[in-house]
């Protein structure tokens, strides 16, 4: 197909997805436990944005022409071939679309394996793409555990693997892909810093810290789980945060008034509770939450939890929790904040709150993170490249740069004259 034809199908799929947003959001809520209040605005809608954005780019893909005297060179932008997408359980629809949309826009086919915890939504993405006109076999969903993912990665027919998952899985998948010299995109975990200077808007910084830790009950890779608050405003920050947390509505995720849902699985709650116990044992001060909310019935509930007086060596300060646990640290100077923010194996995201513009840009320039926000947090529109530095990943999703990760260049040298040879 031409790029225009591929783009038309992707854009049609985006329209279908938007028209069915409520139905898809309810399914996503049942799949993940995330509140409908969130899924209505953050899942199928983000998936549709990716289909629309890359649908729009598909017709613009091209090579270049390089004049070499009389001779010339042209490049062809070609698909990679059969690609594999492997997803985590926190954003099943979005992850499937963020991978499928650029892959299909570039003319590849994809076999997608969702997390076995959330198997439903990727099937809807496949149904919608077929309904929009994608030929059968262009986007395929295979269900299964990690071994199914591993089998896909090892298959000789596969040219590229894009994984969204944890660092340990990323290491295994990257190594298996290396054996076959396959391209990879790795969207892995994080332990991101959110640095709040004492000239920041306190109310906005508290709002951002709430969004950066408790949206999707904390099950977001880019979350700002290490909140560094400058000494002068730290207690005021904690007071206001505790006050605001009393306004949380924990309950049935299908009730649109609910703004905080359960963990995706019993296993994930156990992991999070293990970290809360370690935080307490290692001497962090529990400011809010820490337990299971009462009277919520079945569901893997855990309260939004805040620890203060956290030190950089504590387990909760170093390891990704992937649950609603915020750690608040104090700091005195900009240099200190920057050094401590970067003292992690991860490099996915980071945020800075200050009214001093020069300082905001200076700090961002020094932060080792793929996505940075100034005076906000966790906004990830499809127009912007997204991905990690250090152990948080390889390559980028979204934005125009994603095209480089889903296509390859063929160089064609064209001679216009006779061929000279030494003998
Ligand atoms: P996992 O790494 O456990 O799993 C991710 C996917 O990989 C699942 O589909 C899993 O299958 C599959 N898988 C497991 N082992 C292998 C293998 N050897 N070969 C191929 N595939 C395999 O992550 P979670 O699902 O627990 O998700 C949480 C993690 O994902 C967190 O670390 C989080 O930070 C990260 N994440 C990163 C994002 C980013 O964009 N950077 C976004 C969202 C999450 P199965 O689980 O079915 O066995």
């Amino acid at each position: 197909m031409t790029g225009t034809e591929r783009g038309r199908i992707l854009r049609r799929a985006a329209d279908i997805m938007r028209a069915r947003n409520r139905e898809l959001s309810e399914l996503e809520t049942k799949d993940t436990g995330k509140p409908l209040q969130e899924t209505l605005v953050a899942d199928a809608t983000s998936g549709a944005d990716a289909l629309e954005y890359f649908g729009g780019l598909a017709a613009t893909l091209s090579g270049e022409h390089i004049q070499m005297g009389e001779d010339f060179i042209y490049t062809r932008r070609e698909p990679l071939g059969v690609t594999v997408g492997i997803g985590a359980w926190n954003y099943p629809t979005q992850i499937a679309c963020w991978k499928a949309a650029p892959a299909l826009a570039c003319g590849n086919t994809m076999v997608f394996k969702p997390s076995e915890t959330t198997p439903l939504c990727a099937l809807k993405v496949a149904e919608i793409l077929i309904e929009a006109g994608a030929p059968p076999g262009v986007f395929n969903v295979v269900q299964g555990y990690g071994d199914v993912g591993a089998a896909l990665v090892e298959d000789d027919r596969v040219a590229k693997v894009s994984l969204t998952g944890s660092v340990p899985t990323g290491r295994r998948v990257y190594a298996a892909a290396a054996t076959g010299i396959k391209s990879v995109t790795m969207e892995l975990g994080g332990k991101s810093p959110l640095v709040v200077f004492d000239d920041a808007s306190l109310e906005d910084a508290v709002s951002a810290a709430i969004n950066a830790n408790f949206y999707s009950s904390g099950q977001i890779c880019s979350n700002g789980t290490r909140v560094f608050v400058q000494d002068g405003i730290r207690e005021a920050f904690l007071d206001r945060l505790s006050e605001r947390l009393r306004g949380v509505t924990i309950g049935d995720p299908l009730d649109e008034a609910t703004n905080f849902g359960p963990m995706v699985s019993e296993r994930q709650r156990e992991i999070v509770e293990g970290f809360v116990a370690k935080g307490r044992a290692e001497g962090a001060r529990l400011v809010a939450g820490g337990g299971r909310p009462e009277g919520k019935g079945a569901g893997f509930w855990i309260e939004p939890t805040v620890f203060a007086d956290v030190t950089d060596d504590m387990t909760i300060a170093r390891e990704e929790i992937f649950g609603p646990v915020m750690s608040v640290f104090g700091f005195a100077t900009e240099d200190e904040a920057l050094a401590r923010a970067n003292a992690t194996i991860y490099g996915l995201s980071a945020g800075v709150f200050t009214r001093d513009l020069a300082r905001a840009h200076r700090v961002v320039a020094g932060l080792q993170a793929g996505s940075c926000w100034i005076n906000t947090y966790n906004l990830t529109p499809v127009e912007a490249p997204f991905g990690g530095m250090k152990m948080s990943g390889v390559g980028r999703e979204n934005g125009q740069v994603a095209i480089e990760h889903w296509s390859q260049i063929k160089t064609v040298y064209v001679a216009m004259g006779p061929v000279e040879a030494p003998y």
Side-chain angles (χ1 to χ4, degrees), residues 86-90 113 116 146 149-150 164-166 169 187-189 221 320 322:
I86 301 176
W89 39 257
N90 58 343
K113 191 204 86 68
E116 100 276 354
T164 296
S166 61
T169 303
E187 294 294 350
L188 308 178
C221 52
E320 185 183 46
F322 223 60

mmCIF file with all atom_site columns, all heavy atoms in Angstrom, residues 86-90 113 116 146 149-150 164-166 169 187-189 221 320 322, ligand 1:
data_model
loop_
_atom_site.group_PDB
_atom_site.id
_atom_site.type_symbol
_atom_site.label_atom_id
_atom_site.label_alt_id
_atom_site.label_comp_id
_atom_site.label_asym_id
_atom_site.label_entity_id
_atom_site.label_seq_id
_atom_site.pdbx_PDB_ins_code
_atom_site.Cartn_x
_atom_site.Cartn_y
_atom_site.Cartn_z
_atom_site.occupancy
_atom_site.B_iso_or_equiv
_atom_site.pdbx_formal_charge
_atom_site.auth_seq_id
_atom_site.auth_comp_id
_atom_site.auth_asym_id
_atom_site.auth_atom_id
_atom_site.pdbx_PDB_model_num
ATOM   1   N N   . ILE A 1 86  ? 5.584  -6.234  22.823 1.00 0.00 ? 86  ILE A N   1
ATOM   2   C CA  . ILE A 1 86  ? 5.267  -6.938  24.075 1.00 0.00 ? 86  ILE A CA  1
ATOM   3   C C   . ILE A 1 86  ? 4.906  -5.889  25.107 1.00 0.00 ? 86  ILE A C   1
ATOM   4   O O   . ILE A 1 86  ? 5.649  -4.914  25.301 1.00 0.00 ? 86  ILE A O   1
ATOM   5   C CB  . ILE A 1 86  ? 6.470  -7.778  24.566 1.00 0.00 ? 86  ILE A CB  1
ATOM   6   C CG1 . ILE A 1 86  ? 6.869  -8.797  23.500 1.00 0.00 ? 86  ILE A CG1 1
ATOM   7   C CG2 . ILE A 1 86  ? 6.124  -8.484  25.884 1.00 0.00 ? 86  ILE A CG2 1
ATOM   8   C CD1 . ILE A 1 86  ? 8.116  -9.611  23.841 1.00 0.00 ? 86  ILE A CD1 1
ATOM   9   N N   . GLY A 1 87  ? 3.744  -6.071  25.759 1.00 0.00 ? 87  GLY A N   1
ATOM   10  C CA  . GLY A 1 87  ? 3.242  -5.004  26.616 1.00 0.00 ? 87  GLY A CA  1
ATOM   11  C C   . GLY A 1 87  ? 3.178  -5.331  28.092 1.00 0.00 ? 87  GLY A C   1
ATOM   12  O O   . GLY A 1 87  ? 3.063  -6.493  28.481 1.00 0.00 ? 87  GLY A O   1
ATOM   13  N N   . ALA A 1 88  ? 3.241  -4.280  28.919 1.00 0.00 ? 88  ALA A N   1
ATOM   14  C CA  . ALA A 1 88  ? 3.000  -4.381  30.360 1.00 0.00 ? 88  ALA A CA  1
ATOM   15  C C   . ALA A 1 88  ? 1.490  -4.269  30.603 1.00 0.00 ? 88  ALA A C   1
ATOM   16  O O   . ALA A 1 88  ? 0.716  -4.042  29.663 1.00 0.00 ? 88  ALA A O   1
ATOM   17  C CB  . ALA A 1 88  ? 3.744  -3.271  31.089 1.00 0.00 ? 88  ALA A CB  1
ATOM   18  N N   . TRP A 1 89  ? 1.072  -4.382  31.881 1.00 0.00 ? 89  TRP A N   1
ATOM   19  C CA  . TRP A 1 89  ? -0.362 -4.447  32.183 1.00 0.00 ? 89  TRP A CA  1
ATOM   20  C C   . TRP A 1 89  ? -0.978 -3.115  32.576 1.00 0.00 ? 89  TRP A C   1
ATOM   21  O O   . TRP A 1 89  ? -2.172 -3.039  32.834 1.00 0.00 ? 89  TRP A O   1
ATOM   22  C CB  . TRP A 1 89  ? -0.637 -5.468  33.286 1.00 0.00 ? 89  TRP A CB  1
ATOM   23  C CG  . TRP A 1 89  ? 0.398  -5.488  34.385 1.00 0.00 ? 89  TRP A CG  1
ATOM   24  C CD1 . TRP A 1 89  ? 1.386  -6.422  34.538 1.00 0.00 ? 89  TRP A CD1 1
ATOM   25  C CD2 . TRP A 1 89  ? 0.565  -4.548  35.449 1.00 0.00 ? 89  TRP A CD2 1
ATOM   26  N NE1 . TRP A 1 89  ? 2.159  -6.113  35.631 1.00 0.00 ? 89  TRP A NE1 1
ATOM   27  C CE2 . TRP A 1 89  ? 1.681  -4.972  36.217 1.00 0.00 ? 89  TRP A CE2 1
ATOM   28  C CE3 . TRP A 1 89  ? -0.116 -3.382  35.838 1.00 0.00 ? 89  TRP A CE3 1
ATOM   29  C CZ2 . TRP A 1 89  ? 2.120  -4.285  37.337 1.00 0.00 ? 89  TRP A CZ2 1
ATOM   30  C CZ3 . TRP A 1 89  ? 0.334  -2.698  36.949 1.00 0.00 ? 89  TRP A CZ3 1
ATOM   31  C CH2 . TRP A 1 89  ? 1.441  -3.148  37.683 1.00 0.00 ? 89  TRP A CH2 1
ATOM   32  N N   . ASN A 1 90  ? -0.180 -2.060  32.647 1.00 0.00 ? 90  ASN A N   1
ATOM   33  C CA  . ASN A 1 90  ? -0.762 -0.839  33.207 1.00 0.00 ? 90  ASN A CA  1
ATOM   34  C C   . ASN A 1 90  ? -1.543 0.001   32.189 1.00 0.00 ? 90  ASN A C   1
ATOM   35  O O   . ASN A 1 90  ? -2.495 0.669   32.545 1.00 0.00 ? 90  ASN A O   1
ATOM   36  C CB  . ASN A 1 90  ? 0.323  0.000   33.896 1.00 0.00 ? 90  ASN A CB  1
ATOM   37  C CG  . ASN A 1 90  ? 1.441  0.370   32.961 1.00 0.00 ? 90  ASN A CG  1
ATOM   38  O OD1 . ASN A 1 90  ? 1.611  -0.224  31.892 1.00 0.00 ? 90  ASN A OD1 1
ATOM   39  N ND2 . ASN A 1 90  ? 2.205  1.371   33.342 1.00 0.00 ? 90  ASN A ND2 1
ATOM   40  N N   . LYS A 1 113 ? 2.055  -9.194  21.926 1.00 0.00 ? 113 LYS A N   1
ATOM   41  C CA  . LYS A 1 113 ? 1.716  -10.028 23.084 1.00 0.00 ? 113 LYS A CA  1
ATOM   42  C C   . LYS A 1 113 ? 1.429  -9.132  24.286 1.00 0.00 ? 113 LYS A C   1
ATOM   43  O O   . LYS A 1 113 ? 2.322  -8.494  24.832 1.00 0.00 ? 113 LYS A O   1
ATOM   44  C CB  . LYS A 1 113 ? 2.851  -10.989 23.452 1.00 0.00 ? 113 LYS A CB  1
ATOM   45  C CG  . LYS A 1 113 ? 2.365  -12.023 24.472 1.00 0.00 ? 113 LYS A CG  1
ATOM   46  C CD  . LYS A 1 113 ? 3.457  -12.630 25.307 1.00 0.00 ? 113 LYS A CD  1
ATOM   47  C CE  . LYS A 1 113 ? 3.810  -11.848 26.530 1.00 0.00 ? 113 LYS A CE  1
ATOM   48  N NZ  . LYS A 1 113 ? 2.780  -11.802 27.574 1.00 0.00 ? 113 LYS A NZ  1
ATOM   49  N N   . GLU A 1 116 ? -0.199 -11.118 30.406 1.00 0.00 ? 116 GLU A N   1
ATOM   50  C CA  . GLU A 1 116 ? -1.267 -12.099 30.667 1.00 0.00 ? 116 GLU A CA  1
ATOM   51  C C   . GLU A 1 116 ? -2.226 -11.595 31.728 1.00 0.00 ? 116 GLU A C   1
ATOM   52  O O   . GLU A 1 116 ? -3.346 -12.082 31.841 1.00 0.00 ? 116 GLU A O   1
ATOM   53  C CB  . GLU A 1 116 ? -0.671 -13.467 31.024 1.00 0.00 ? 116 GLU A CB  1
ATOM   54  C CG  . GLU A 1 116 ? -0.626 -13.813 32.499 1.00 0.00 ? 116 GLU A CG  1
ATOM   55  C CD  . GLU A 1 116 ? 0.599  -13.235 33.192 1.00 0.00 ? 116 GLU A CD  1
ATOM   56  O OE1 . GLU A 1 116 ? 1.461  -12.662 32.506 1.00 0.00 ? 116 GLU A OE1 1
ATOM   57  O OE2 . GLU A 1 116 ? 0.682  -13.359 34.428 1.00 0.00 ? 116 GLU A OE2 1
ATOM   58  N N   . GLY A 1 146 ? 5.292  -14.997 29.729 1.00 0.00 ? 146 GLY A N   1
ATOM   59  C CA  . GLY A 1 146 ? 6.586  -14.522 29.242 1.00 0.00 ? 146 GLY A CA  1
ATOM   60  C C   . GLY A 1 146 ? 7.248  -15.460 28.252 1.00 0.00 ? 146 GLY A C   1
ATOM   61  O O   . GLY A 1 146 ? 7.948  -15.017 27.337 1.00 0.00 ? 146 GLY A O   1
ATOM   62  N N   . GLY A 1 149 ? 6.315  -14.555 24.831 1.00 0.00 ? 149 GLY A N   1
ATOM   63  C CA  . GLY A 1 149 ? 7.089  -13.382 24.418 1.00 0.00 ? 149 GLY A CA  1
ATOM   64  C C   . GLY A 1 149 ? 8.494  -13.786 24.001 1.00 0.00 ? 149 GLY A C   1
ATOM   65  O O   . GLY A 1 149 ? 9.008  -13.349 22.959 1.00 0.00 ? 149 GLY A O   1
ATOM   66  N N   . ALA A 1 150 ? 9.106  -14.658 24.804 1.00 0.00 ? 150 ALA A N   1
ATOM   67  C CA  . ALA A 1 150 ? 10.480 -15.089 24.506 1.00 0.00 ? 150 ALA A CA  1
ATOM   68  C C   . ALA A 1 150 ? 10.538 -15.817 23.167 1.00 0.00 ? 150 ALA A C   1
ATOM   69  O O   . ALA A 1 150 ? 11.467 -15.606 22.376 1.00 0.00 ? 150 ALA A O   1
ATOM   70  C CB  . ALA A 1 150 ? 10.993 -15.979 25.642 1.00 0.00 ? 150 ALA A CB  1
ATOM   71  N N   . THR A 1 164 ? 7.585  -3.031  26.395 1.00 0.00 ? 164 THR A N   1
ATOM   72  C CA  . THR A 1 164 ? 7.311  -2.175  27.539 1.00 0.00 ? 164 THR A CA  1
ATOM   73  C C   . THR A 1 164 ? 7.232  -3.100  28.743 1.00 0.00 ? 164 THR A C   1
ATOM   74  O O   . THR A 1 164 ? 6.360  -3.974  28.792 1.00 0.00 ? 164 THR A O   1
ATOM   75  C CB  . THR A 1 164 ? 5.991  -1.403  27.357 1.00 0.00 ? 164 THR A CB  1
ATOM   76  O OG1 . THR A 1 164 ? 6.145  -0.529  26.244 1.00 0.00 ? 164 THR A OG1 1
ATOM   77  C CG2 . THR A 1 164 ? 5.666  -0.570  28.581 1.00 0.00 ? 164 THR A CG2 1
ATOM   78  N N   . GLY A 1 165 ? 8.141  -2.943  29.672 1.00 0.00 ? 165 GLY A N   1
ATOM   79  C CA  . GLY A 1 165 ? 8.173  -3.849  30.817 1.00 0.00 ? 165 GLY A CA  1
ATOM   80  C C   . GLY A 1 165 ? 9.243  -3.428  31.804 1.00 0.00 ? 165 GLY A C   1
ATOM   81  O O   . GLY A 1 165 ? 9.742  -2.305  31.766 1.00 0.00 ? 165 GLY A O   1
ATOM   82  N N   . SER A 1 166 ? 9.601  -4.345  32.666 1.00 0.00 ? 166 SER A N   1
ATOM   83  C CA  . SER A 1 166 ? 10.561 -4.039  33.733 1.00 0.00 ? 166 SER A CA  1
ATOM   84  C C   . SER A 1 166 ? 12.002 -4.181  33.224 1.00 0.00 ? 166 SER A C   1
ATOM   85  O O   . SER A 1 166 ? 12.239 -4.767  32.164 1.00 0.00 ? 166 SER A O   1
ATOM   86  C CB  . SER A 1 166 ? 10.338 -5.001  34.897 1.00 0.00 ? 166 SER A CB  1
ATOM   87  O OG  . SER A 1 166 ? 10.557 -6.318  34.445 1.00 0.00 ? 166 SER A OG  1
ATOM   88  N N   . THR A 1 169 ? 13.152 -7.941  32.734 1.00 0.00 ? 169 THR A N   1
ATOM   89  C CA  . THR A 1 169 ? 12.628 -8.507  31.481 1.00 0.00 ? 169 THR A CA  1
ATOM   90  C C   . THR A 1 169 ? 13.326 -7.855  30.295 1.00 0.00 ? 169 THR A C   1
ATOM   91  O O   . THR A 1 169 ? 13.678 -8.530  29.312 1.00 0.00 ? 169 THR A O   1
ATOM   92  C CB  . THR A 1 169 ? 11.096 -8.296  31.390 1.00 0.00 ? 169 THR A CB  1
ATOM   93  O OG1 . THR A 1 169 ? 10.495 -8.881  32.536 1.00 0.00 ? 169 THR A OG1 1
ATOM   94  C CG2 . THR A 1 169 ? 10.521 -8.929  30.140 1.00 0.00 ? 169 THR A CG2 1
ATOM   95  N N   . GLU A 1 187 ? 11.158 0.138   26.524 1.00 0.00 ? 187 GLU A N   1
ATOM   96  C CA  . GLU A 1 187 ? 10.531 1.109   27.439 1.00 0.00 ? 187 GLU A CA  1
ATOM   97  C C   . GLU A 1 187 ? 10.456 0.443   28.794 1.00 0.00 ? 187 GLU A C   1
ATOM   98  O O   . GLU A 1 187 ? 9.586  -0.396  29.034 1.00 0.00 ? 187 GLU A O   1
ATOM   99  C CB  . GLU A 1 187 ? 9.127  1.470   26.937 1.00 0.00 ? 187 GLU A CB  1
ATOM   100 C CG  . GLU A 1 187 ? 9.099  2.218   25.621 1.00 0.00 ? 187 GLU A CG  1
ATOM   101 C CD  . GLU A 1 187 ? 9.702  3.593   25.713 1.00 0.00 ? 187 GLU A CD  1
ATOM   102 O OE1 . GLU A 1 187 ? 9.986  4.080   26.826 1.00 0.00 ? 187 GLU A OE1 1
ATOM   103 O OE2 . GLU A 1 187 ? 9.926  4.195   24.647 1.00 0.00 ? 187 GLU A OE2 1
ATOM   104 N N   . LEU A 1 188 ? 11.368 0.791   29.681 1.00 0.00 ? 188 LEU A N   1
ATOM   105 C CA  . LEU A 1 188 ? 11.504 0.027   30.918 1.00 0.00 ? 188 LEU A CA  1
ATOM   106 C C   . LEU A 1 188 ? 11.126 0.865   32.147 1.00 0.00 ? 188 LEU A C   1
ATOM   107 O O   . LEU A 1 188 ? 10.434 1.854   32.028 1.00 0.00 ? 188 LEU A O   1
ATOM   108 C CB  . LEU A 1 188 ? 12.922 -0.539  31.004 1.00 0.00 ? 188 LEU A CB  1
ATOM   109 C CG  . LEU A 1 188 ? 13.342 -1.326  29.733 1.00 0.00 ? 188 LEU A CG  1
ATOM   110 C CD1 . LEU A 1 188 ? 14.774 -1.812  29.849 1.00 0.00 ? 188 LEU A CD1 1
ATOM   111 C CD2 . LEU A 1 188 ? 12.403 -2.478  29.435 1.00 0.00 ? 188 LEU A CD2 1
ATOM   112 N N   . GLY A 1 189 ? 11.591 0.440   33.286 1.00 0.00 ? 189 GLY A N   1
ATOM   113 C CA  . GLY A 1 189 ? 11.126 1.047   34.532 1.00 0.00 ? 189 GLY A CA  1
ATOM   114 C C   . GLY A 1 189 ? 11.773 2.378   34.861 1.00 0.00 ? 189 GLY A C   1
ATOM   115 O O   . GLY A 1 189 ? 12.597 2.900   34.102 1.00 0.00 ? 189 GLY A O   1
ATOM   116 N N   . CYS A 1 221 ? 5.193  3.909   34.748 1.00 0.00 ? 221 CYS A N   1
ATOM   117 C CA  . CYS A 1 221 ? 6.655  3.828   34.685 1.00 0.00 ? 221 CYS A CA  1
ATOM   118 C C   . CYS A 1 221 ? 7.339  5.167   34.924 1.00 0.00 ? 221 CYS A C   1
ATOM   119 O O   . CYS A 1 221 ? 8.401  5.234   35.520 1.00 0.00 ? 221 CYS A O   1
ATOM   120 C CB  . CYS A 1 221 ? 7.060  3.288   33.330 1.00 0.00 ? 221 CYS A CB  1
ATOM   121 S SG  . CYS A 1 221 ? 6.310  4.208   31.979 1.00 0.00 ? 221 CYS A SG  1
ATOM   122 N N   . GLU A 1 320 ? 12.244 0.536   42.085 1.00 0.00 ? 320 GLU A N   1
ATOM   123 C CA  . GLU A 1 320 ? 10.930 0.857   41.535 1.00 0.00 ? 320 GLU A CA  1
ATOM   124 C C   . GLU A 1 320 ? 9.864  0.068   42.290 1.00 0.00 ? 320 GLU A C   1
ATOM   125 O O   . GLU A 1 320 ? 9.961  -1.151  42.419 1.00 0.00 ? 320 GLU A O   1
ATOM   126 C CB  . GLU A 1 320 ? 10.881 0.499   40.044 1.00 0.00 ? 320 GLU A CB  1
ATOM   127 C CG  . GLU A 1 320 ? 9.571  0.933   39.414 1.00 0.00 ? 320 GLU A CG  1
ATOM   128 C CD  . GLU A 1 320 ? 9.454  0.523   37.949 1.00 0.00 ? 320 GLU A CD  1
ATOM   129 O OE1 . GLU A 1 320 ? 9.767  -0.624  37.633 1.00 0.00 ? 320 GLU A OE1 1
ATOM   130 O OE2 . GLU A 1 320 ? 9.029  1.359   37.143 1.00 0.00 ? 320 GLU A OE2 1
ATOM   131 N N   . PHE A 1 322 ? 6.260  0.619   41.748 1.00 0.00 ? 322 PHE A N   1
ATOM   132 C CA  . PHE A 1 322 ? 5.125  0.450   40.834 1.00 0.00 ? 322 PHE A CA  1
ATOM   133 C C   . PHE A 1 322 ? 3.813  0.317   41.610 1.00 0.00 ? 322 PHE A C   1
ATOM   134 O O   . PHE A 1 322 ? 3.023  -0.602  41.403 1.00 0.00 ? 322 PHE A O   1
ATOM   135 C CB  . PHE A 1 322 ? 5.349  -0.739  39.896 1.00 0.00 ? 322 PHE A CB  1
ATOM   136 C CG  . PHE A 1 322 ? 4.942  -0.420  38.479 1.00 0.00 ? 322 PHE A CG  1
ATOM   137 C CD1 . PHE A 1 322 ? 5.534  0.613   37.783 1.00 0.00 ? 322 PHE A CD1 1
ATOM   138 C CD2 . PHE A 1 322 ? 3.951  -1.152  37.832 1.00 0.00 ? 322 PHE A CD2 1
ATOM   139 C CE1 . PHE A 1 322 ? 5.167  0.921   36.492 1.00 0.00 ? 322 PHE A CE1 1
ATOM   140 C CE2 . PHE A 1 322 ? 3.566  -0.852  36.525 1.00 0.00 ? 322 PHE A CE2 1
ATOM   141 C CZ  . PHE A 1 322 ? 4.181  0.179   35.865 1.00 0.00 ? 322 PHE A CZ  1
HETATM 142 P P1  . LIG B 2 .   ? 7.259  -7.360  32.998 1.00 0.00 ? 1   LIG B P1  1
HETATM 143 O O1  . LIG B 2 .   ? 8.624  -6.975  32.625 1.00 0.00 ? 1   LIG B O1  1
HETATM 144 O O2  . LIG B 2 .   ? 7.061  -8.378  34.051 1.00 0.00 ? 1   LIG B O2  1
HETATM 145 O O3  . LIG B 2 .   ? 6.450  -7.891  31.720 1.00 0.00 ? 1   LIG B O3  1
HETATM 146 C C1  . LIG B 2 .   ? 6.338  -7.138  30.526 1.00 0.00 ? 1   LIG B C1  1
HETATM 147 C C2  . LIG B 2 .   ? 5.906  -8.041  29.387 1.00 0.00 ? 1   LIG B C2  1
HETATM 148 O O4  . LIG B 2 .   ? 6.989  -8.900  29.021 1.00 0.00 ? 1   LIG B O4  1
HETATM 149 C C3  . LIG B 2 .   ? 4.741  -8.963  29.753 1.00 0.00 ? 1   LIG B C3  1
HETATM 150 O O5  . LIG B 2 .   ? 3.904  -9.099  28.628 1.00 0.00 ? 1   LIG B O5  1
HETATM 151 C C4  . LIG B 2 .   ? 5.461  -10.253 30.073 1.00 0.00 ? 1   LIG B C4  1
HETATM 152 O O6  . LIG B 2 .   ? 4.630  -11.380 29.964 1.00 0.00 ? 1   LIG B O6  1
HETATM 153 C C5  . LIG B 2 .   ? 6.559  -10.255 29.031 1.00 0.00 ? 1   LIG B C5  1
HETATM 154 N N1  . LIG B 2 .   ? 7.705  -11.088 29.318 1.00 0.00 ? 1   LIG B N1  1
HETATM 155 C C6  . LIG B 2 .   ? 8.134  -11.558 30.512 1.00 0.00 ? 1   LIG B C6  1
HETATM 156 N N2  . LIG B 2 .   ? 9.270  -12.277 30.364 1.00 0.00 ? 1   LIG B N2  1
HETATM 157 C C7  . LIG B 2 .   ? 9.585  -12.263 29.043 1.00 0.00 ? 1   LIG B C7  1
HETATM 158 C C8  . LIG B 2 .   ? 10.650 -12.818 28.255 1.00 0.00 ? 1   LIG B C8  1
HETATM 159 N N3  . LIG B 2 .   ? 11.626 -13.528 28.799 1.00 0.00 ? 1   LIG B N3  1
HETATM 160 N N4  . LIG B 2 .   ? 10.643 -12.601 26.926 1.00 0.00 ? 1   LIG B N4  1
HETATM 161 C C9  . LIG B 2 .   ? 9.673  -11.858 26.351 1.00 0.00 ? 1   LIG B C9  1
HETATM 162 N N5  . LIG B 2 .   ? 8.634  -11.317 27.039 1.00 0.00 ? 1   LIG B N5  1
HETATM 163 C C10 . LIG B 2 .   ? 8.591  -11.512 28.371 1.00 0.00 ? 1   LIG B C10 1
HETATM 164 O O7  . LIG B 2 .   ? 6.527  -5.993  33.374 1.00 0.00 ? 1   LIG B O7  1
HETATM 165 P P2  . LIG B 2 .   ? 5.100  -5.770  34.022 1.00 0.00 ? 1   LIG B P2  1
HETATM 166 O O8  . LIG B 2 .   ? 4.049  -6.302  33.120 1.00 0.00 ? 1   LIG B O8  1
HETATM 167 O O9  . LIG B 2 .   ? 5.162  -6.256  35.429 1.00 0.00 ? 1   LIG B O9  1
HETATM 168 O O10 . LIG B 2 .   ? 4.999  -4.175  34.000 1.00 0.00 ? 1   LIG B O10 1
HETATM 169 C C11 . LIG B 2 .   ? 5.607  -3.383  34.956 1.00 0.00 ? 1   LIG B C11 1
HETATM 170 C C12 . LIG B 2 .   ? 6.939  -2.864  34.481 1.00 0.00 ? 1   LIG B C12 1
HETATM 171 O O11 . LIG B 2 .   ? 6.811  -2.247  33.205 1.00 0.00 ? 1   LIG B O11 1
HETATM 172 C C13 . LIG B 2 .   ? 7.510  -1.804  35.378 1.00 0.00 ? 1   LIG B C13 1
HETATM 173 O O12 . LIG B 2 .   ? 8.885  -1.993  35.580 1.00 0.00 ? 1   LIG B O12 1
HETATM 174 C C14 . LIG B 2 .   ? 7.286  -0.523  34.617 1.00 0.00 ? 1   LIG B C14 1
HETATM 175 O O13 . LIG B 2 .   ? 8.158  0.502   34.950 1.00 0.00 ? 1   LIG B O13 1
HETATM 176 C C15 . LIG B 2 .   ? 7.438  -0.977  33.211 1.00 0.00 ? 1   LIG B C15 1
HETATM 177 N N6  . LIG B 2 .   ? 6.727  -0.066  32.316 1.00 0.00 ? 1   LIG B N6  1
HETATM 178 C C16 . LIG B 2 .   ? 7.456  0.768   31.504 1.00 0.00 ? 1   LIG B C16 1
HETATM 179 C C17 . LIG B 2 .   ? 6.839  1.705   30.702 1.00 0.00 ? 1   LIG B C17 1
HETATM 180 C C18 . LIG B 2 .   ? 7.629  2.589   29.796 1.00 0.00 ? 1   LIG B C18 1
HETATM 181 O O14 . LIG B 2 .   ? 7.071  3.082   28.815 1.00 0.00 ? 1   LIG B O14 1
HETATM 182 N N7  . LIG B 2 .   ? 8.889  2.867   30.023 1.00 0.00 ? 1   LIG B N7  1
HETATM 183 C C19 . LIG B 2 .   ? 5.379  1.846   30.718 1.00 0.00 ? 1   LIG B C19 1
HETATM 184 C C20 . LIG B 2 .   ? 4.710  0.891   31.565 1.00 0.00 ? 1   LIG B C20 1
HETATM 185 C C21 . LIG B 2 .   ? 5.380  -0.012  32.340 1.00 0.00 ? 1   LIG B C21 1
HETATM 186 P P3  . LIG B 2 .   ? 3.715  -11.852 31.187 1.00 0.00 ? 1   LIG B P3  1
HETATM 187 O O15 . LIG B 2 .   ? 3.666  -10.765 32.191 1.00 0.00 ? 1   LIG B O15 1
HETATM 188 O O16 . LIG B 2 .   ? 2.409  -12.105 30.537 1.00 0.00 ? 1   LIG B O16 1
HETATM 189 O O17 . LIG B 2 .   ? 4.353  -13.086 31.726 1.00 0.00 ? 1   LIG B O17 1
#
